[in-house]
Amino acid sequence: MTEIDTSVPHSARIWNYWLGGKDNYPVDEAAGDAYTAVYPGIVTIARSSRAFLGRSIRYLVTEAGVRQFLDVGTGLPTVDNTHEVAQSLAPESKIVYVDNDPLVLAHARALLTSTPEGVTAYEDLSLYEPEKILEAASRTLDLSRPTALILSGILGHVTDYEQARGIVRGLLAGLPSGSYLSLNEGSRGTDPDYEQAQDAYNETGAVPYFLRPIDQITAYFEGLDLVEPGLVSVPLWHPEPAAEEPRPIGQHGGLGRKP
């Protein structure tokens, strides 16, 4: 078992802290608090990204009839994980999570449970190996049937943009017509304070996460039919009925269907 270093902050644990999870350490809380001191809105971004994921899964289950999910770059389990949302609506749903972080692996087996009717599996694989991911997923999912590919806040960790696009293309190539891509990523062009804070964070030597212009995020959906309202700031995508009007933030997402 790979030893987990708790003496340095870890991006997955910091994200977990911002989401209100418990799988983090004082060093992660300190790093998270340091970031929020510079840019308090990061907690809103983290929670809005998770809320978008939940709404897109609900759409996929109830509107699109999808029962298979491939969630790549899972991150630490927190609340409203993919399997929890999908199986609460359709208990027979099958979910495959993919990550290759020893920290995520240590928690995944204990926390990613399943309904008796459905299946939840975890594959310890790299984002950079789409063919291996598809091969592993096929042991749990029937990849001749529509499947939802979920990429939630993971592609910003891929330094080279064209490589990131190639990963998306490679994963979608193994999925049939009627499959979907649910994707959301940190974006440039909406919130200069967020951009400044993230650029400063990337310079600290931590694992970087690159915010990308909206047109580059839109291009991940090349060849897909975007579900209305298209690629938008995540609070604006099928918002829950609420008293307050949702406000745009520097996180964009969308849902696309493979023709």
Side-chain angles (χ1 to χ4, degrees):
M1 177 104 186
T2 305
E3 189 171 331
I4 295 166
D5 188 350
T6 61
S7 67
V8 294
H10 185 287
S11 60
R13 294 197 306 250
I14 297 170
W15 199 256
N16 177 269
Y17 173 56
W18 287 332
L19 286 172
K22 304 297 182 190
D23 296 313
N24 50 73
Y25 297 91
V27 66
D28 308 302
E29 295 183 19
D33 289 343
Y35 195 118
T36 57
V38 175
Y39 179 67
I42 190 62
V43 174
T44 298
I45 284 174
R47 295 182 180 181
S48 296
S49 171
R50 176 56 55 128
F52 165 83
L53 174 63
R55 295 196 307 277
S56 71
I57 293 168
R58 285 195 288 276
Y59 178 97
L60 285 163
V61 172
T62 61
E63 302 291 329
V66 173
R67 297 292 183 268
Q68 301 192 128
F69 298 83
L70 176 58
D71 187 334
V72 180
T74 306
L76 279 170
T78 50
V79 294
D80 295 335
N81 301 294
T82 296
H83 72 289
E84 293 170 331
V85 178
Q87 292 181 345
S88 71
L89 297 165
E92 71 276 20
S93 296
K94 296 180 178 181
I95 294 90
V96 173
Y97 290 101
V98 178
D99 211 311
N100 74 329
D101 185 324
L103 178 72
V104 177
L105 178 63
H107 290 276
R109 300 230 155 92
L111 294 176
L112 302 179
T113 55
S114 176
T115 57
E117 305 95 323
V119 180
T120 302
Y122 182 91
E123 298 289 348
D124 183 20
L125 290 167
S126 168
L127 172 69
Y128 296 92
E129 299 176 304
E131 289 182 5
K132 286 187 178 180
I133 290 172
L134 291 165
E135 181 185 350
S138 70
R139 294 195 288 266
T140 301
L141 309 178
D142 177 357
L143 296 186
S144 69
R145 298 179 59 205
T147 302
L149 170 63
I150 294 170
L151 297 168
S152 183
I154 187 65
L155 294 174
H157 288 302
V158 181
T159 306
D160 183 86
Y161 171 65
E162 288 305 324
Q163 185 176 24
R165 286 191 67 184
I167 289 167
V168 178
R169 282 195 297 266
L171 289 167
L172 286 171
L175 303 181
S177 173
S179 294
Y180 283 82
L181 169 64
S182 169
L183 178 147
N184 75 98
E185 288 289 328
S187 56
R188 291 190 178 276
T190 303
D191 188 339
D193 292 338
Y194 177 34
E195 295 164 25
Q196 188 174 353
Q198 188 61 39
D199 291 346
Y201 175 84
N202 288 350
E203 290 168 7
T204 64
V207 176
Y209 180 87
F210 298 98
L211 307 180
R212 293 199 158 110
I214 294 163
D215 63 333
Q216 289 191 357
I217 299 172
T218 303
Y220 289 134
F221 293 91
E222 183 180 20
L224 305 181
D225 297 326
L226 276 166
V227 172
E228 290 295 328
L231 185 94
V232 293
S233 182
V234 291
L236 308 182
W237 195 91
H238 293 250
E240 304 284 357
E244 285 187 31
E245 191 73 21
R247 297 172 59 184
I249 59 174
Q251 184 85 9
H252 278 67
L255 187 64
R257 182 183 186 277
K258 185 173 179 179

